[in-house]
């Protein structure tokens, strides 16, 4: 194998071809009481891959190598990430072993993978299946790679963590510092241009659109990045700077510049951001993807 060559599922592919792929029926989404079941999600991914391979023979080899030849979701994800992020000097075999080791040793990483897949499938109407997210959503892939980099950072393997961050930024156009703490059920929708700083914290069930920055002010040192609560929705192009807190269930409008704390269930819109009244109830905009409530209170603002 030459340096940087993508992994192959078979060292001699000319002698072997993928087994015949039989038509598969993909069960309806979601099944009762199965949202956190890794085995169920993996079975969905395999069924979707078989269906797509039958429907589009041009993708059959790719789907076999990336999904159908693997015994588990974590192995498939590790293989796919390794092939995406490898370079002439950062070998796919090294990355594969690194991803497999991290996912195997940390069940919370695997649980977060499943939660992120479920988040994309339920919140994004353009997501046609779990396999579509696993294989094609660069926001999903960038987060999973960052979770591994975060493990490396905690193990004081910081040079490798930063190298992985650099490759993720180059390949996916998503720049997340390995020290940033990210919860589960997180959706980076479109993801291009997302920047998340070193001391940022993101809670569970948060949705972030493209070109969002969670950055510092340029002056502070130490703990200097935003803290995002559970269920927050951050619109496209929003910028949140400094060690500010965005409360649970808050909403940040597209293009807003936020330099102050945002209370829970409050909407912040504009540049600089203006706070609109809090909303009672159980709705979490990070899960509902509700971009437009409170729009009547901001007549000259549009999403």
């Amino acid at each position: 194998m030459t340096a940087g060559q993508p992994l192959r599922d078979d060292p001699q592919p000319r002698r072997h071809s993928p087994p015949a792929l039989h038509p598969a029926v993909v069960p309806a989404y979601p099944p009762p009481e199965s949202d956190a079941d890794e085995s169920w999600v993996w079975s969905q991914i395999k069924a979707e891959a078989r269906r797509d391979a039958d429907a589009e023979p041009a993708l059959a080899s790719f789907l076999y190598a990336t999904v159908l030849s693997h015994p588990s979701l974590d192995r498939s994800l590790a293989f796919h990430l390794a092939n995406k992020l490898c370079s002439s000097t950062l070998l796919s075999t090294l990355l594969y072993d690194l991803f497999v080791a991290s996912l195997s040793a940390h069940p919370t990483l695997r649980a977060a993978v499943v939660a992120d897949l479920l988040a994309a499938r339920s919140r994004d109407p353009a997501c046609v299946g779990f396999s579509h997210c696993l294989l094609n959503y660069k926001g999903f892939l960038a987060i999973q790679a960052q979770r591994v980099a975060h493990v490396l950072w905690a193990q004081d393997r910081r040079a490798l963590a930063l190298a992985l961050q650099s490759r993720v930024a180059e390949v996916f156009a998503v720049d997340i510092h390995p020290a940033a703490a990210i919860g589960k059920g997180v959706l980076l929708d479109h993801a291009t241009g997302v920047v998340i700083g070193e001391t940022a914290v993101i809670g569970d069930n948060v949705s972030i659109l493209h070109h969002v920055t969670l950055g510092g002010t340029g002056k502070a040192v130490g703990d200097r990045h935003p803290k995002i609560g559970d269920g927050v929705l951050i619109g496209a192009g929003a910028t949140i700077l400094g060690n500010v807190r965005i409360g649970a269930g808050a909403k940040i409008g597209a293009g807003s510049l936020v330099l102050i704390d945002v209370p829970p269930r409050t909407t912040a819109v504009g540049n600089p951001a203006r706070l609109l009244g809090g909303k009672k109830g159980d709705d979490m905009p990070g899960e509902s993807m509700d971009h437009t409530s409170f729009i009547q209170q901001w007549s000259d603002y549009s999403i």
Side-chain angles (χ1 to χ4, degrees), residues 107-120 123 139-148 150-151 176-188 196-208 214 226-232 234 286-287:
T108 56
L109 295 189
R110 300 197 302 274
V113 170
V114 174
D116 292 352
L117 285 167
L118 289 163
R123 296 177 209 165
F140 167 80
L141 294 171
I143 290 179
Q144 310 321 313
Q146 191 276 343
R147 295 189 201 282
V148 173
H150 186 72
V151 169
I176 310 175
H177 195 282
I182 299 179
K184 63 183 180 180
V186 174
L187 171 64
L188 295 188
I196 300 174
E198 178 181 5
T199 59
V201 176
I202 298 174
D204 296 337
N205 303 314
V206 171
S207 292
I208 299 174
L214 305 181
K227 311 297 182 284
I228 310 300
D230 295 344
V232 170
I234 305 178
E287 299 179 63

Side-chain angles (χ1 to χ4, degrees), residues 53-79:
D54 286 340
E56 184 50 76
L59 292 176
S61 294
F62 167 70
L63 292 168
Y64 176 77
T66 310
V67 176
L68 298 174
S69 65
H70 298 281
S72 62
L73 174 57
D74 58 302
R75 296 271 174 166
S76 173
L77 175 61
F79 180 91

Side-chain angles (χ1 to χ4, degrees), residues 80-103:
H80 191 40
L81 280 174
N83 279 296
K84 284 283 189 180
L85 297 174
C86 67
S87 70
S88 60
T89 55
L90 196 60
L91 302 184
S92 56
T93 49
L94 180 152
L95 289 175
Y96 176 75
D97 291 341
L98 177 66
F99 292 138
V100 167
S102 297
L103 290 165

